[in-house]
Amino acid sequence: MNTTQRSAHDKRLALKSRLARPDIVVAPGIFELISAKMADAMDFECLYMTGFGTVASYLGLPDAGLATYTDMHNRVAAFCAATHTPLICDGDTGYGGLLNVAHTVRGYESAGAAGIQLEDQEFPKKCGHTPGRRVIACEDMVSKIKVAAATRQDRNFQIIARTDARTSLGLDEALRRADAYARAGADVLFIESPESVEELEKIGGAFDLPLLVNIVEGGRTPQLPPAELQKLGFSLAIYPASGFLAMAQALRQVYGQIHALKGTRDSEGSLYSFADMCELMGFPEVWAFDRAHAQ
């Protein structure tokens, strides 16, 4: 095992061990490399590669099955190379049938991801918390989970099984599917879009495996604090949209001022400092290199 493989193994083991503890983990959504480096510098215990934000920032397209495996693997590799924090990456539906699922798991694992999220939507998939999502047969998703579990090389690589059945088929069907996915070998269960505190409570009390809850500002699921989610039985709360929603709002404000010919002098107090951005992106190392090798 080389140094890169050892680092990835250590991150996977850290995530698996952390999810086994009773206190909840919170993971911000990263979607491009500034957000990845910013979150990585803040001592989170886990990061989450959001499909919506990644597809939007990389391709300028909606997260509606338009991004390919190649597109997403490119981003997984870039994010993992730029960060030290365990990273869970959105693997959509596995980008096809069972052979595609195996290929996706191998690719994400070799790129350094600590875990992969696979969902039971029909292809082309749609972003969670949006309408029109349809799911494949439970038995077909069970086969995908079995293939994913059998394909991974590192047993600490986490397989997160997501079901979108709640919105189209109801909570009872979503719970039935999650149980089947657990028996198929999933490490973490993710029931997308519960719509009330009562539903969250029912999900939280139904399983022994770690449970993931997706907190989307403006989405279908109640916005409960992490402490309350922990009491309900959840192990991991992801915040996939928070970063890109904050970024979009900030960009609209500062670009609006520029467009209105007001300049940015009045906004400097609300902007991340240029010096800190240079630090975040590693310019001090560049400057030190230049000094050491000055002609």
Side-chain angles (χ1 to χ4, degrees):
M1 186 181 293
N2 60 36
T3 302
T4 300
Q5 291 171 326
R6 172 62 63 184
S7 175
H9 170 79
D10 290 346
K11 287 191 281 189
R12 293 172 193 140
L13 180 59
L15 177 61
K16 181 178 181 179
S17 300
R18 181 62 184 82
L19 291 175
R21 287 168 43 185
D23 47 325
I24 197 168
V25 179
V26 294
I30 64 166
F31 51 97
E32 45 72 69
L33 286 160
I34 295 177
S35 67
K37 294 182 76 68
M38 180 71 75
D40 189 54
M42 296 181 70
D43 294 325
F44 283 101
E45 296 175 291
C46 177
L47 306 178
Y48 177 78
M49 186 190 91
T50 158
F52 187 122
T54 299
V55 175
S57 63
Y58 188 50
L59 299 176
L61 294 171
D63 183 20
L66 300 172
T68 66
Y69 163 79
T70 301
D71 292 325
M72 298 302 277
H73 179 265
N74 175 290
R75 297 294 81 200
V76 172
F79 294 156
C80 290
T83 59
H84 300 91
T85 309
L87 178 61
I88 294 172
C89 296
D90 187 350
D92 292 330
T93 63
Y95 307 102
L98 297 181
L99 186 62
N100 302 86
V101 170
H103 182 65
T104 299
V105 168
R106 282 193 294 267
Y108 277 40
E109 185 176 3
S110 65
I116 186 171
Q117 173 196 303
L118 296 170
E119 60 201 52
D120 61 2
Q121 286 193 52
E122 291 183 357
F123 183 85
K125 59 77 53 91
K126 294 180 174 63
C127 179
H129 294 258
T130 63
R133 288 169 290 138
R134 299 191 299 182
V135 293
I136 62 176
C138 179
E139 294 75 15
D140 292 341
M141 183 62 177
V142 164
S143 295
K144 287 188 175 186
I145 297 301
K146 288 180 178 179
V147 166
T151 299
R152 61 183 170 185
Q153 297 297 300
D154 187 341
R155 303 302 298 177
N156 298 303
F157 182 74
Q158 297 291 281
I159 297 169
I160 296 92
R162 165 176 149 178
T163 178
D164 284 69
R166 161 62 189 93
T167 302
S168 57
L169 301 177
L171 182 61
D172 288 343
E173 174 62 13
L175 291 169
R176 185 185 75 83
R177 284 171 175 253
D179 181 66
Y181 303 162
R183 287 185 278 108
D187 301 294
V188 180
L189 300 176
F190 175 6
I191 295 179
E192 176 66 299
S193 307
E195 298 185 5
S196 68
V197 175
E198 291 73 23
E199 290 191 3
L200 287 168
E201 185 175 15
K202 190 170 183 178
I203 294 166
F207 304 100
D208 293 329
L209 287 181
L211 298 174
L212 182 155
V213 60
N214 185 18
I215 304 300
V216 176
E217 296 80 5
R220 296 170 179 265
T221 301
Q223 307 289 301
L224 299 182
E228 292 187 31
L229 294 168
Q230 177 180 311
K231 290 179 181 178
L232 292 174
F234 290 92
S235 304
L236 173 62
I238 60 170
Y239 294 80
S242 310
F244 63 75
L245 293 177
M247 178 200 71
Q249 179 71 358
L251 288 175
R252 184 168 68 174
Q253 290 176 349
V254 73
Y255 288 174
Q257 290 179 330
I258 294 170
H259 184 264
L261 305 181
K262 295 180 179 179
T264 57
R265 180 177 297 179
D266 293 339
S267 300
E268 286 186 3
S270 62
L271 298 178
Y272 197 68
S273 80
F274 182 71
D276 288 343
M277 182 60 76
C278 289
E279 178 79 25
L280 180 70
M281 301 311 297
F283 270 99
E285 289 81 3
V286 173
W287 299 329
F289 180 90
D290 288 346
R291 290 192 297 270
H293 297 278
Q295 296 283 325

